[in-house]
Structure formats: C-alpha cells, structure tokens
Amino acid sequence: MRAKKFLSWRALLGAALAISGLTLLIWPTIPAQASGSGPEAAAATTGSVSICLVTADAPTRERNVKVAQWAAEVLLQETPSYRGPCASYGTPSALGNGTVRTYAQVAGNKPQTVGIVFPKSMLTGLPTTMTDGHHCYDMNGDGTVNEHTECVGGHERPLDLPSQLTSLPGMPLKWALVNFNPMGHGPEHIYDHPHFDFHFYTQSKAERDAIRSGPCGLAIDCDDYATATKPLAPQFMPQDYKDNGVAEAAMGNHLIDPFSPEWGSTAFTQTFIYGAYDAKISFLEPMITKAWFEGIEAGVNPSRCWPIKQPQQWQIGGWYPQEYCIDYRANRGDYTVSMKNFKNSAA
C-alpha cells in the first residue's frame, strides 16, 4: 500500500507539471506519509539533487533548484530539465537542419562541464561535399584543386565559449571548433567514415587562423609544418600518444593514441585526439562518427564517458578534464559532447 502511495505522488507530480508547466515542488523531500519505511525509504528522503529546472512552456528559462532524488527523476522525465548547475551558452552556428553551440556548467570557480550541444535535427540535412573549400592548396601544381586530396577541414564551424567559462582563473580553453567530415578523412580504413571533430582549443583563434595552406603534410605551408611538428618534451606528451607528423592547414599537428580501438580490429566509432603546435598542446578533440550518435538515440549505443589520458605535466597550469562524454537527452531531444571531471594541475 505504501509503495502505491509513493507512486501516486510521482504520478501527481507528473500531472501537475504537464498541466501547469510548473507549480513546483521545490519540496526538500518526499512527504513522510508517502515514503514508507526501511532503507529504500530512508534513501528517498535524504539528500538533495541539483537540477536545472526548465519547463516546456518556457524552454529558454533555466533555474537552479535542489530537489529530492525522487523528484529529480520525475523532472528529468516530464520536463526539459537537466542535471545542474544551469549552463551558460555560446553563440549558435547553423549546421544541417539544426545548430551547434558550446555550453559550460560552472560551480563557483570550478568548471563542471564544457561541451557542445545540438538538437537531433542537426544530424539531418548535413553537407554532402567533401569540404567547404576554406583550406585547399594545389599541391601537385596542375592548376586545379582536388577536394578529396588537396583540401582539409571538412565543413567547419568556429564557436565561442561562454564568458562564464573563459573568465575563470586557470581556464586554458579559449574557443571551440566543430568540423563535419561527410566522407571522413585519412588514414584510409581508419577515419574514413562520416564523422564530427569537436575541438576545444588552448591556442588562440588568431594563432590557429595563421596556420597557412601549402604543399607539405596535409595541405599545410612547409614552414608551418615544421613549427607544427616540433616535438613536445616527454613530460608534456599525453600518456601513450604518438606523433606521426599528421600536421594540417588551419589545424596543426595531430597526436594519436595507438591503443585506441580503431587502430586494432574494431571499426572507428569515437576516439580522443590531442593537437599540438610549436611544441605545445593546442587542442583537445573528441572525434565521433555520425552513426554513433544515431545509435545512441536508437538505443543501440549507450550514453557514456571515457577517460582522457593525461600528460605527466601540463605546460600551462590550470583546469583540465579527466573524461569526455557523449549523451543523448531524450527529454530535450538533443545530444551533448562534453568534457568533465576537471582537475586543477596547478593545485
């Protein structure tokens, strides 16, 4: 009987939310008469959860609230709310039939989450050509540019990070960049699947933009190739990562983890890349196939996190993420690609 009462409170709350958009319920705990007794009831009535409260009738209004765990579960099912703290957002940029934009969740002076969010509609209506033509070079000098062999970068969307994040003391991240590669890119049979590159830069945008196109490496200027491939000191190289000289125009060098599954017998689905330029880490990059996102919504792939391998020492002290995550939020109809669990290397 008590269990039925507990469920009725949940049903009542769900109905109230659906009808009123929110009469809420910032109740600290479930009412005692509905909670029953025993360890399960004790767990349900203790503690609170931070939620960013959003309602369907005001989807752009976000409020930080603390509620009991049972109420949080209902809110995350019945409203577009999400686990707090509330995010701040960067400027959206159109891509496909949607947009991409950055977001950050900050608690006090500590970053909680830094990522990119987009509606599921973004995965439709995407560009189909190899590249947007922004970074090309006639490498063989035949007077024409082959978009498959002489262009890099796919279709790019530079994004600003929220000022709430970039103004934090010790925050090395400066801006972000999303690249969509409709046909993937090299190496052949590794990354030649339609996928997205999500770059989070420690290098300024002006410095990145100054990496010119040219006839060396991946359509990069030869002097800039030499700068891009300057070796990092061993203590600054992330654990297990290798420098294969994969330097690219408007990007820099790419450091790869040879222990990532795609370098074995498993097809590429997602991985983590570090960028380097002038003997310094320049960006952090989750790289994810379009099919992986679609599989999450379909229930084939899980929403989950993976650890980010760290260097022994960071050249610039500050906040660095220890894991990256890919999530589909069904109650909001969107995806997030995020970096979490920040630790201060200077502490």
Side-chain angles (χ1 to χ4, degrees):
M1 180 64 72
R2 286 172 176 168
K4 289 182 180 179
K5 287 182 179 180
F6 174 66
L7 291 173
S8 69
W9 278 97
R10 290 174 61 96
L12 177 62
L13 174 57
L17 290 169
I19 294 170
S20 68
L22 191 71
T23 306
L24 216 143
L25 111 126
I26 304 181
W27 299 338
T29 60
I30 185 171
Q33 67 269 25
S35 64
S37 59
E40 293 84 4
T45 59
T46 57
S48 59
V49 177
S50 175
I51 291 291
C52 184
L53 182 64
V54 189
T55 58
D57 61 335
T60 60
R61 184 185 181 193
E62 301 189 351
R63 288 169 285 170
N64 286 306
V65 299
K66 286 190 175 181
V67 298
Q69 178 65 50
W70 71 275
E73 292 174 1
V74 176
L75 285 170
L76 294 174
Q77 292 177 12
E78 303 294 336
T79 75
S81 302
Y82 57 91
R83 297 192 182 278
C86 289
S88 55
Y89 297 95
T91 307
S93 181
L95 184 60
N97 290 329
T99 61
V100 289
R101 63 174 175 170
T102 61
Y103 74 101
Q105 293 173 279
V106 176
N109 287 324
K110 180 179 179 180
Q112 301 289 311
T113 304
V114 179
I116 291 169
V117 58
F118 53 91
K120 63 180 181 181
S121 62
M122 190 276 283
L123 296 177
T124 60
L126 287 163
T128 56
T129 57
M130 183 75 176
T131 174
D132 55 22
H134 289 166
H135 308 294
C136 301
Y137 192 83
D138 181 10
M139 297 183 68
N140 61 10
D142 67 355
T144 63
V145 170
N146 184 321
E147 70 169 11
H148 294 274
T149 60
E150 297 178 319
C151 295
V152 294
H155 296 262
E156 66 175 21
R157 298 294 187 273
L159 301 170
D160 59 320
L161 288 169
S163 59
Q164 183 190 24
L165 178 78
T166 55
S167 63
L168 286 178
M171 173 45 60
L173 301 177
K174 294 178 169 63
W175 63 289
L177 178 72
V178 174
N179 297 78
F180 175 59
N181 304 279
M183 304 173 195
H185 55 62
E188 190 177 5
H189 306 308
I190 302 292
Y191 297 128
D192 54 356
H193 305 273
H195 71 267
F196 296 88
D197 302 331
F198 299 91
H199 303 86
F200 298 87
Y201 272 87
T202 58
Q203 181 186 41
S204 74
K205 188 173 185 299
E207 290 174 345
R208 174 269 186 183
D209 290 347
I211 302 174
R212 299 161 290 182
S213 299
C216 289
L218 298 178
I220 184 174
D221 175 85
C222 293
D223 289 339
D224 293 346
Y225 179 87
T227 303
T229 54
K230 285 182 181 179
L232 274 72
Q235 68 270 29
F236 303 138
M237 178 68 79
Q239 179 186 353
D240 294 331
Y241 277 72
K242 302 295 182 184
D243 179 359
N244 290 338
V246 188
E248 178 178 328
M251 194 73 68
N253 203 5
H254 293 75
L255 310 177
I256 62 99
D257 178 4
F259 296 100
S260 194
E262 69 273 12
W263 294 99
S265 58
T266 303
F268 164 55
T269 57
Q270 53 72 36
T271 194
F272 195 89
I273 303 291
Y274 277 99
Y277 194 78
D278 199 13
K280 297 185 287 290
I281 294 295
S282 56
F283 61 79
L284 291 72
E285 178 195 352
M287 196 161 74
I288 305 157
T289 63
K290 180 174 178 285
W292 182 265
F293 288 116
E294 293 166 337
I296 295 178
E297 185 191 0
V300 176
N301 301 328
S303 290
R304 59 161 293 186
C305 300
W306 293 263
I308 299 174
K309 295 180 178 180
Q310 305 286 306
Q312 294 178 16
Q313 181 181 344
W314 286 98
Q315 289 158 300
I316 301 173
W319 294 106
Y320 290 93
Q322 307 299 302
E323 60 183 3
Y324 71 101
C325 305
I326 309 170
D327 295 291
Y328 175 65
R329 302 186 294 190
N331 66 323
R332 296 177 64 83
D334 66 16
Y335 295 89
T336 61
V337 176
S338 62
M339 301 190 300
K340 299 182 179 181
N341 189 18
F342 281 78
K343 293 185 179 179
N344 196 327
S345 67

